[in-house]
C-alpha cells in the first residue's frame, strides 16, 4: 500500500538513500528496534519536526518573512543535510518554479490549470518510471514527497484560475480558496517547503497557509462567544496546541512500534514464499490480513506523526466549537485508523484512508472536468480514476487493486441497499436487536475483502500479485463475481419485493413503489400510508469516487453509453448506426 491506496510516502519506496558513513548510526539503531536505517531516519525527521515546529510557532506573528525563511532553512537541511537528496531538491524546485511560472504567465487562459496539472503529473510520472525501472533500494528517490507536491501545486493553479472568475461562476469552496493575486515568491516558497509536511504530507491549499501565516486563520467568527476564545501564550494568536500535538506524537510512535514489532513476522514477501503454502487456508487468510494490518501500522504512524507537528505549528487549527469553546485540530487529518479498521462497508473503509488525497481528487479533478451547470458523470469518474492511478505510479499491482476495488464497491452498495433494511425497523429505521450481527459480519467481510484487494499494493508486481491471490484461492474475486451474478439475476427483484411487502405490513408504502406493497397491505387488512422512506446514515448514495475508485461501474457504463448516444445524435448519425455502435460497446464490456 504505497501511501495508498495511496498515499503519500512509503518508508521503503519513498526515501531510499545511498550508503554513506553518516547513515551507519541509523542502521545500527534500526537493527536494534527492528526497522531499517532509512526508515528510522525518516521517523527521526518526523520527531525532529516537533521541537522545530515549536520554534516556528514562536517566531513573532508580525514577522511572516522570518517564518518563511525558517521553514526554508529547515526543509533544505532535511533534503540535503539529513537525506542527501540533492536530486530531490532539484525535483522540488523544478516542479514549484514551473507551476508558479505557468500560473503567472498563463493566468488569463482557461487552459492554465490543465497545463499546470499535465506538467506536474508528467514530471512526477517520469520519476515514477525511473524509480520503477531502477528497482534499486539504494536509489535516491523523492517521488513520495513529489506526490504531496503535485496535490499542493495543481490545487494552487486552480486557485489562481478561480481568482480570475466572477462570483456567480464559483462554488462556495472555490470562493474560499481562490487567489485573486499571485503570492510573493517568499510566501510561495514557504508553502512549498513547509517542513512538517514536506516528506509525507499532509497536503493543504495555499489559502490555508496564508491564513496561518498572517494569523487570520485564528479569527473568531461572529457565531462564537468571545469568552470562549481559546487560550494563547503571550502575544501569540495561535492557540495552545502542545497537548493535542503530543497526543498525536505518542499515538504515532505507538503505531511505528507496532509496525516494528510485527513487520518481522508479517511482511509482503511472505505471501509469495514457498513457506506460505505450509499453512491451511484459514491460516493463510489470517496471515494475508496481518500483512495488510502491519503495513497500515506504518502509514498510521507516519501520517499521525506529521499531523501532530503541523498541529504544534498551528496549521491544524480548524475552528472553535461555538457551544463548548473546544478547539478543533483536525484540519489536516489524513487518516482515521478506527474508521478504517472497523469499517462496515467499502466507502467507510476508503473514506477514512488517505483523506486529503480523496479531497484533492474530489475538488480538483472530479468536479473540475464537469462543465458548469452539469452533473458529474462517466467522464468525471474516468478522469478521477485515471488521475488516481497515475498519481500512485505504474506498478501493475496498483491497477489490479484499483479495478477489483471498483467492483467490490458495486457489490457492497447492492448488499447494503438490499440486505441492511431487513435489520432496521421499517417505520422508524431504528436498528433491530439483530442489527449487531449484521454489523459484526459486515466488519469481518469488509476487512478480509480489502486485505485481499490491497495485497497487490504491497507486492507491486503482476505475477507476484496473482501468485498471492491464487494461494488464497482468489476468494475475494470469486465472492465479488458471485455477488454480481446474484444481483444481476431475478433474485434482486425478489429481495426488493420482500422489502416492500415488509414495509407495507408495517403500514409504510415507499413513494413510487409498485403495487405489490399495496397488495400486501390489503392482505393483512391495513390501509397503507404513503410515506417517503428516508435514507439512513449510509453514504453509499454519494456517487463521487473515493480515491478515484468507481462505486458503480455498471451505472457509469450506462452513463457512458448515454453520452456516446448524445454525441452521435448531435453529429447526425442515424438511429440504426447509433444502435450498432452502442451494441458494439456493450459487447466489448
Amino acid at each position: 500500500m504505497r501511501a495508498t491506496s495511496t498515499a503519500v510516502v512509503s518508508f521503503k519506496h519513498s526515501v531510499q538513500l545511498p550508503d554513506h558513513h553518516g547513515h551507519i548510526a541509523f542502521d545500527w539503531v534500526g537493527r536494534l528496534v527492528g526497522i531499517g536505517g532509512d526508515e528510522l531516519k525518516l521517523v527521526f525527521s518526523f520527531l525532529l519536526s516537533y521541537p522545530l515546529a515549536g520554534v516556528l510557532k514562536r517566531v513573532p506573528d508580525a514577522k511572516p518573512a522570518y517564518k518563511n525563511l525558517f521553514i526554508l532553512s529547515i526543509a533544505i537541511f532535511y533534503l540535503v543535510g539529513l537525506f542527501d537528496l540533492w536530486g530531490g531538491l532539484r525535483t522540488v524546485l523544478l516542479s514549484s518554479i514551473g507551476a508558479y511560472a505557468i500560473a503567472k504567465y498563463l493566468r488569463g487562459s482557461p487552459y492554465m490549470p490543465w497545463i499546470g496539472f499535465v506538467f506536474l503529473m508528467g514530471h512526477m510520472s517520469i520519476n515514477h518510471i525511473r524509480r520503477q525501472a531502477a528497482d534499486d533500494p539504494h536509489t535516491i528517490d523523492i517521488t513520495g514527497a513529489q506526490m504531496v507536491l503535485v496535490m499542493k501545486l495543481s490545487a494552487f493553479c486552480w486557485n489562481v484560475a478561480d481568482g480570475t472568475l466572477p462570483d456567480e461562476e464559483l462554488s462556495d469552496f472555490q470562493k474560499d480558496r481562490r487567489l485573486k493575486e499571485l503570492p510573493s515568491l517568499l510566501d510561495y516558497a514557504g508553502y512549498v517547503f513547509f517542513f512538517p509536511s514536506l516528506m509525507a504530507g499532509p497536503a493543504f491549499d495555499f489559502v490555508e497557509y496564508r491564513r496561518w501565516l498572517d494569523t487570520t486563520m485564528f479569527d473568531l467568527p461572529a457565531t462564537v462567544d468571545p469568552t470562549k476564545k481559546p487560550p494563547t501564550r503571550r502575544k501569540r494568536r495561535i492557540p495552545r496546541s502542545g497537548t493535542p500535538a503530543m497526543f498525536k506524537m505518542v499515538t504515532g510512535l505507538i503505531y511505528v512500534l507496532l509496525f516494528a514489532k510485527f513487520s518481522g513476522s508479517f511482511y509482503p514477501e511472505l505471501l509469495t514464499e514457498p513457506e506460505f503454502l505450509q499453512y491451511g487456508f484459514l491460516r493463510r487468510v489470517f496471515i494475508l490480513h496481518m500483512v495488510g494490518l502491519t503495513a497500515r501500522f506504518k502509514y498510521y504512524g507516519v501520517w499521525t506523526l506529521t499531523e501532530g507537528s503541523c498541529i504544534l505549528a498551528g496549521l491544524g487549527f480548524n475552528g472553535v466549537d461555538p457551544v463548548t469553546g473546544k478547539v478543533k485540530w483536525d484540519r489536516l487529518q489524513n487518516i482515521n485508523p478506527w474508521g478504517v479498521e472497523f469499517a462496515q462497508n467499502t466507502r467507510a473503509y476508503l473514506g477514512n484512508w488517505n483523506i486529503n488525497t480523496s479531497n484533492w481528487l474530489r475538488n480538483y479533478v472530479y468536479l473540475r472536468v464537469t462543465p458548469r451547470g452539469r452533473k458529474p458523470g462517466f467522464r468525471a469518474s474516468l478522469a478521477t480514476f485515471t488521475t488516481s492511478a497515475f498519481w500512485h505510479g505504474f506498478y501493475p499491482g496498483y491497477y489490479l487493486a484499483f479495478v477489483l476495488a471498483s467492483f467490490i464497491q458495486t457489490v457492497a452498495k447492492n448488499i447494503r441497499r438490499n440486505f441492511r433494511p431487513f435489520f432496521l425497523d421499517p417505520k422508524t429505521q431504528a436498528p433491530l436487536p439483530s442489527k449487531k450481527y449484521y454489523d459484526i459480519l459486515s466488519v469481518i467481510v469488509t476487512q478480509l475483502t480489502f486485505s485481499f484487494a490491497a495485497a497487490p499494493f504491497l507486492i507491486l508486481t503482476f505475477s507476484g500479485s496473482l501468485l498471492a491471490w491464487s494461494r488464497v484461492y482468489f476468494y475475494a474475486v470469486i465472492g465479488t463475481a458471485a455477488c454480481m451474478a446474484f444481483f444481476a439475476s431475478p433474485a434482486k427483484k425478489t429481495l426488493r419485493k420482500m422489502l416492500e411487502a415488509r414495509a407495507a405490513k408495517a403500514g409504510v408504502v415507499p413513494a413510487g413503489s409498485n403495487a405489490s406493497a399495496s397488495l400486501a397491505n390489503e392482505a393483512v387488512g391495513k390501509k397503507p400510508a404513503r410515506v417517503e422512506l428516508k435514507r439512513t446514515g449510509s453514504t453509499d448514495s454519494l456517487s463521487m469516487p473515493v480515491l478515484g475508485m468507481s462505486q458503480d461501474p455498471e451505472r457509469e457504463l450506462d452513463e457512458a453509453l448515454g453520452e456516446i448516444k448524445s454525441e452521435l445524435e448531435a453529429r447526425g448519425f442515424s438511429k440504426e448506426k447509433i444502435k450498432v455502435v452502442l451494441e458494439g460497446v456493450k459487447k466489448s464490456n
Side-chain angles (χ1 to χ4, degrees):
M1 256 186 272
R2 186 173 190 272
T4 226
S5 278
T6 109
V8 184
V9 73
S10 141
F11 281 142
K12 293 184 178 179
H13 293 298
S14 134
V15 180
Q16 291 118 7
L17 307 171
D19 286 328
H20 291 297
H21 295 297
H23 303 151
I24 293 176
F26 286 99
D27 292 336
W28 181 74
V29 176
R31 284 193 295 269
L32 292 179
V33 299
I35 60 177
D38 293 345
E39 298 171 356
L40 183 63
K41 182 173 287 191
L42 197 59
V43 172
F44 172 75
S45 73
F46 298 150
L47 294 176
L48 182 60
S49 292
Y50 279 80
L52 293 173
V55 174
L56 175 62
K57 186 166 69 171
R58 285 160 175 76
V59 176
D61 294 338
K63 303 287 186 180
Y66 290 3
K67 291 188 178 184
N68 285 323
L69 291 172
F70 181 76
I71 289 168
L72 280 171
S73 62
I74 299 302
I76 293 173
F77 164 71
Y78 278 0
L79 289 172
V80 177
L82 186 61
F83 294 116
D84 199 27
L85 288 171
W86 288 95
L89 176 61
R90 183 172 61 249
T91 293
V92 173
L93 288 173
L94 178 59
S95 286
S96 55
I97 293 172
Y100 192 90
I102 290 169
K104 180 177 181 179
Y105 295 109
L106 299 177
R107 188 180 179 198
S109 170
Y111 303 107
M112 181 273 286
W114 293 113
I115 294 173
F117 176 80
V118 171
F119 164 72
L120 293 166
M121 288 289 290
H123 185 203
M124 182 181 64
S125 296
I126 292 172
N127 286 334
H128 273 318
I129 293 170
R130 284 176 176 172
R131 179 177 66 84
Q132 187 171 341
D135 196 24
D136 183 355
H138 300 300
T139 300
I140 298 177
D141 182 37
I142 193 66
T143 53
Q146 193 177 9
M147 291 165 75
V148 180
L149 198 62
V150 166
M151 291 192 286
K152 292 172 68 173
L153 298 184
S154 61
F156 174 80
C157 290
W158 278 110
N159 298 151
V160 171
D162 290 340
T164 65
L165 300 176
D167 287 356
E168 56 269 18
E169 294 185 16
L170 301 175
S171 66
D172 290 340
F173 176 84
Q174 289 173 290
K175 292 175 186 176
D176 180 67
R177 302 302 170 93
R178 64 183 169 183
L179 295 171
K180 293 186 176 182
E181 295 180 359
L182 282 174
S184 69
L185 287 175
L186 185 58
D187 286 354
Y188 178 75
Y191 168 67
V192 169
F193 285 94
F194 188 71
F195 67 85
S197 67
L198 177 65
M199 301 306 297
F204 47 89
D205 290 345
F206 180 83
V207 166
E208 295 175 289
Y209 178 76
R210 184 172 63 188
R211 290 170 182 166
W212 168 81
L213 195 63
D214 62 20
T215 71
T216 56
M217 175 184 286
F218 310 105
D219 292 340
L220 280 182
T223 56
V224 178
D225 187 341
T227 61
K228 297 187 183 299
K229 180 180 179 181
T232 59
R233 288 187 181 274
R234 299 178 183 176
K235 296 182 179 180
R236 291 198 301 270
R237 298 199 63 207
I238 301 176
R240 296 179 183 178
S241 57
T243 300
M246 290 305 103
F247 177 78
K248 290 288 184 180
M249 184 184 74
V250 172
T251 305
L253 283 175
I254 291 173
Y255 285 128
V256 170
L257 291 175
L258 286 172
F259 168 71
K261 172 68 175 177
F262 290 105
S263 60
S265 302
F266 302 103
Y267 49 93
E269 294 79 10
L270 176 62
L271 303 177
T272 57
E273 290 177 353
E275 291 79 5
F276 188 54
L277 294 173
Q278 70 182 348
Y279 303 110
F281 172 70
L282 293 180
R283 181 70 180 273
R284 292 183 207 175
V285 172
F286 171 75
I287 293 173
L288 177 68
H289 176 71
M290 287 303 299
V291 168
L293 177 61
T294 301
R296 291 196 296 277
F297 283 148
K298 175 172 60 178
Y299 296 110
Y300 294 161
V302 168
W303 288 331
T304 304
L305 285 173
T306 55
E307 182 192 357
S309 57
C310 290
I311 289 174
L312 190 59
L315 193 56
F317 180 81
N318 200 23
V320 178
D321 188 301
V323 178
T324 64
K326 185 177 180 180
V327 178
K328 293 182 287 186
W329 292 102
D330 59 353
R331 176 183 295 274
L332 300 181
Q333 183 179 7
N334 198 40
I335 189 69
N336 177 9
W338 184 271
V340 173
E341 299 304 328
F342 294 94
Q344 295 182 26
N345 56 75
T346 58
R347 187 172 186 89
Y349 188 101
L350 295 172
N352 286 293
W353 175 269
N354 207 2
I355 298 169
N356 287 315
T357 300
S358 288
N359 292 338
W360 171 67
L361 289 169
R362 178 183 66 245
N363 295 320
Y364 297 109
V365 181
Y366 184 71
L367 296 176
R368 299 292 181 162
V369 299
T370 305
R372 190 167 60 91
R374 293 183 60 182
K375 184 180 178 181
F378 172 74
R379 294 179 184 179
S381 296
L382 180 61
T384 307
F385 177 89
T386 304
T387 299
S388 182
F390 282 13
W391 180 78
H392 282 92
F394 300 99
Y395 281 104
Y398 298 155
Y399 298 86
L400 282 174
F402 268 121
V403 172
L404 177 58
S406 294
F407 287 103
I408 290 172
Q409 288 222 84
T410 299
V411 168
K413 182 191 68 176
N414 277 316
I415 290 174
R416 190 171 176 86
R417 287 183 177 178
N418 292 285
F419 284 99
R420 188 172 182 269
F422 285 107
F423 300 91
L424 303 175
D425 185 283
K427 270 191 175 180
T428 65
Q429 299 297 295
L432 297 174
S434 57
K435 174 70 161 43
K436 59 178 176 290
Y437 302 111
Y438 171 87
D439 292 342
I440 293 172
L441 183 61
S442 295
V443 171
I444 294 172
V445 171
T446 298
Q447 294 302 318
L448 294 182
T449 301
F450 269 97
S451 294
F452 180 96
F457 256 98
L458 305 175
I459 299 171
L460 300 178
T461 64
F462 183 80
S463 59
S465 299
L466 292 184
L467 177 61
W469 278 358
S470 69
R471 290 180 168 182
V472 288
Y473 306 113
F474 295 97
Y475 71 83
V477 174
I478 294 173
T480 300
C483 288
M484 293 187 71
F486 174 84
F487 287 113
S489 72
K492 183 176 181 179
K493 290 184 178 179
T494 301
L495 284 175
R496 300 308 301 174
K497 289 180 180 179
M498 291 172 63
L499 288 173
E500 290 172 357
R502 182 171 176 268
K505 187 176 180 180
V508 177
V509 179
S513 65
N514 59 31
S516 63
S518 298
L519 292 174
N521 267 310
E522 292 175 8
V524 296
K526 293 183 179 180
K527 184 177 180 180
R530 299 296 289 182
V531 177
E532 185 71 43
L533 288 180
K534 294 182 180 180
R535 189 177 293 277
T536 60
S538 168
T539 55
D540 288 338
S541 60
L542 301 177
S543 60
M544 208 289 291
V546 181
L547 287 173
M549 285 178 274
S550 169
Q551 290 189 72
D552 195 343
E554 294 175 273
R555 176 185 61 80
E556 292 181 359
L557 176 59
D558 291 338
E559 289 180 355
L561 293 174
E563 292 182 12
I564 293 172
K565 181 179 179 182
S566 299
E567 184 70 22
L568 294 176
E569 287 175 346
R571 292 173 180 265
F573 280 69
S574 65
K575 291 183 178 180
E576 290 75 15
K577 288 185 177 180
I578 293 175
K579 184 178 179 180
V580 171
V581 171
L582 295 181
E583 286 179 350
V585 173
K586 286 182 179 179
K587 289 180 180 178
S588 66
N589 287 275

